[in-house]
Amino acid sequence: PSWAGDITATGWYGFPTLADGRVKVAQHGAGRPVEGDARPTDAPEDGPALRGALRDLVPALADAPQVGGRWCPYCDSQDGDFWIGLDPERPGLAVAAGGSGHGFKFLPLLGKLVADACEGRLADEYARFGWRDVAPKRADVMRCVGDG
């Protein structure tokens, strides 16, 4: 089965075992800033962090050989919320971003919110998703988050 280990604190999760016995383990976290087409590289702390997480969450995998690795970045907004609204400096440009790797779950709701934002009718309860000047809640700025 898919699994997550205290995802809000550690960010570690995994997918079902593949037919050949491989297991994908990933982490959703603060990410690393990237620009353009650049790809983040593994940092020295990645290996021990992964092994430590496996020891805590799936001990049987803690010493399993690593057969591959790659970054699967996805973009997040500075404050972690969706970004849905009209660009105040570019008339006619609407932006809907910040899916943060989980936007697909909200697709039925997002379509209506995007349409409402484009028509200037974003309801008060969704104002946090609207166009805004952002003071980041986190130290990182625009970021792409590694997913595996």
Side-chain angles (χ1 to χ4, degrees), residues 43-132:
E45 68 274 11
D46 289 344
L50 169 64
R51 295 298 172 175
L54 289 174
R55 276 187 184 74
D56 289 343
L57 302 169
V58 189
L61 294 177
D63 295 315
Q66 182 174 338
V67 295
R70 68 178 178 170
W71 275 86
C72 304
Y74 53 88
C75 291
D76 198 352
S77 64
Q78 292 171 325
D79 59 9
D81 281 331
F82 295 118
W83 191 288
I84 304 169
L86 298 173
D87 184 329
E89 296 179 12
R90 298 179 188 158
L93 175 64
V95 175
S100 313
H102 62 266
F104 71 93
K105 295 182 289 188
F106 300 96
L107 195 55
L109 174 65
L110 289 175
K112 179 179 179 347
L113 292 179
V114 170
D116 287 349
C118 288
E119 294 175 358
R121 298 183 292 118
L122 197 61
D124 289 344
E125 63 264 30
Y126 301 113
R128 74 182 209 191
F129 302 144
W131 199 272
R132 58 207 181 265

